[in-house]
Amino acid sequence: MRITVLTGAGISAESGLATFRASDGLWEQHRIEDVATPEGFTADPALVHRFYNARRAAAAAALPNPAHQALAELARHHDLTLITQNVDDLHERGGSPEVIHMHGSLTAALCASCDARWTAPMVMSPADPCPTCRAQATRPDIVWFGEIPYHMDRIWQALETTDLFAAIGTSGNVYPAAGLAQHAARMGADCIELNLEASATARDFSRHIHGPASRTVPDWVASLV
Ligand code: APR
């Protein structure tokens, strides 16, 4: 069976990583405009690097949970396309062989001047020169608000032929990710949402499983393998 899974911050919540829109989430403590836009980076690159350095450290200290591990198991049995909005690497460390990071990765650095990419050091700073062109324009390889998510061609293509689409741990507030379920449904896929609560796009799914991902995802995967 062809299965496409989209994950969001909720799948890493039980690994101890903060989500964005919870009452104690990242967007309660930081202004999106300051730390997650190209304009914020231009205004104060040191602040933006501090924000992502802290998130990189938190992600490195976190461990994959049973939900990440179950999706690795799912890939061993089905033709799985795993898409994540998460910038942590817990899917990879949980054993998933291929992960599409549509919002970028904390483990990569990007030169805003020449577009070179390289492995991010644990602590990045505005003074870091690009190893290729030497410009001091090093930024985290994160897709900010106002930027175009990565790998969209590949993602739309997977939705054309998928039999089953599942969204796990995402609030459905950020497009284009939030529109993938509706597109998959139009293409004929069965759409299922696994989340703590109904998301903003709950009506696009024909099935819902509510509860913590570390419990619901292994149960759902067990029903498929
Ligand atoms: N198990 C399952 N779901 C959970 C859990 C859990 N243990 N904990 C929280 N959730 C759910 C929440 O109920 C919420 O619906 O996960 C969702 C997390 O939503 P957001 O914080 O909005 O995260 P996400 O949907 O990934 O955000 C999308 O927004 O700020 C941007 O670029 C950022 O990729 C991110 C995008």
Side-chain angles (χ1 to χ4, degrees):
M1 181 163 44
R2 291 191 176 138
I3 305 177
T4 304
V5 170
L6 170 72
T7 65
I11 197 167
S12 295
E14 291 164 83
S15 293
L17 300 181
T19 63
F20 294 96
R21 293 174 180 79
S23 54
D24 57 349
L26 287 166
W27 295 154
E28 284 300 314
Q29 296 151 38
H30 305 271
R31 279 163 38 103
I32 288 177
E33 300 81 353
D34 293 343
V35 299
T37 62
E39 295 76 18
F41 184 64
T42 304
D44 193 344
L47 171 78
V48 175
H49 276 303
R50 274 201 305 279
F51 175 71
Y52 289 100
N53 288 343
R55 297 189 55 209
R56 192 176 298 107
L63 293 173
N65 68 53
H68 298 104
Q69 287 155 351
L71 292 180
E73 175 70 7
L74 188 62
R76 288 192 272 276
H77 294 84
H78 292 283
D79 179 357
L80 175 68
T81 301
L82 177 56
I83 306 162
T84 189
Q85 298 166 87
N86 297 344
V87 294
D88 65 57
D89 61 354
L90 295 181
H91 283 304
E92 287 89 341
R93 289 200 276 130
S96 285
E98 207 182 335
V99 187
I100 300 176
H101 280 272
M102 65 183 294
H103 290 169
S105 288
L106 288 164
T107 53
L110 169 67
C111 176
S113 179
C114 77
D115 283 342
R117 282 191 172 77
W118 64 99
T119 302
M122 278 307 285
V123 179
M124 292 177 68
S125 103
D128 296 341
C130 167
T132 303
C133 74
R134 311 308 298 169
Q136 287 188 335
T138 296
R139 55 170 279 183
D141 191 10
I142 303 287
V143 176
W144 287 324
F145 286 91
E147 298 184 318
I148 298 168
Y150 297 153
H151 314 298
M152 288 311 299
D153 286 352
R154 217 175 134 199
I155 292 170
W156 294 126
Q157 214 173 10
L159 298 183
E160 303 286 318
T161 55
T162 199
D163 301 303
L164 176 60
F165 175 85
I168 302 173
T170 178
S171 64
N173 279 296
V174 175
Y175 285 80
L180 299 187
Q182 192 181 59
H183 188 71
R186 282 195 185 133
M187 294 291 114
D190 181 19
C191 293
I192 180 165
E193 174 169 86
L194 294 92
N195 209 42
L196 260 192
E197 62 210 347
S199 75
T201 53
R203 68 185 173 281
D204 296 331
F205 299 86
S206 53
R207 288 190 289 153
H208 300 87
I209 300 176
H210 293 158
S214 70
R215 178 171 57 73
T216 59
V217 179
D219 287 353
W220 174 68
V221 167
S223 74
L224 292 168
V225 303

